[in-house]
Amino acid sequence: ACHSPSGSGNGPAAYPALVGQNYEYIVNQLENFKDYKRTNDPAGMMRDIAERMSDTEIQAVATFIKYMQPK
């Protein structure tokens, strides 16, 4: 929801678009948030989400984003 149902992002909240990102990039960034290697998320929101995700869930989210179509 934060990045919008279409993955186009939320400009006023400064949440970036996800549509068009490749699988490996999404996996890497979620892993970086999970491992606290990436910390530029407001109030630790992405870190809180990613640290609860299994590797399988991270891969599933990356696959979903990979196949999103711009609207």
Side-chain angles (χ1 to χ4, degrees), residues 14-63:
Y15 299 145
L18 299 177
V19 68
Q21 295 291 353
N22 70 42
Y23 175 87
E24 291 82 10
Y25 177 81
I26 295 297
V27 168
N28 287 336
Q29 297 315 306
L30 287 172
E31 289 173 348
N32 287 338
F33 280 122
K34 183 175 184 173
D35 297 335
Y36 285 68
K37 293 178 183 173
R38 183 169 176 180
T39 59
N40 65 327
D41 51 326
M45 185 180 294
M46 282 304 304
R47 285 172 280 168
D48 289 343
I49 293 166
E51 71 183 355
R52 292 181 273 149
M53 295 175 76
S54 68
D55 291 342
T56 301
E57 290 169 327
I58 287 173
Q59 292 165 1
V61 167
T63 298

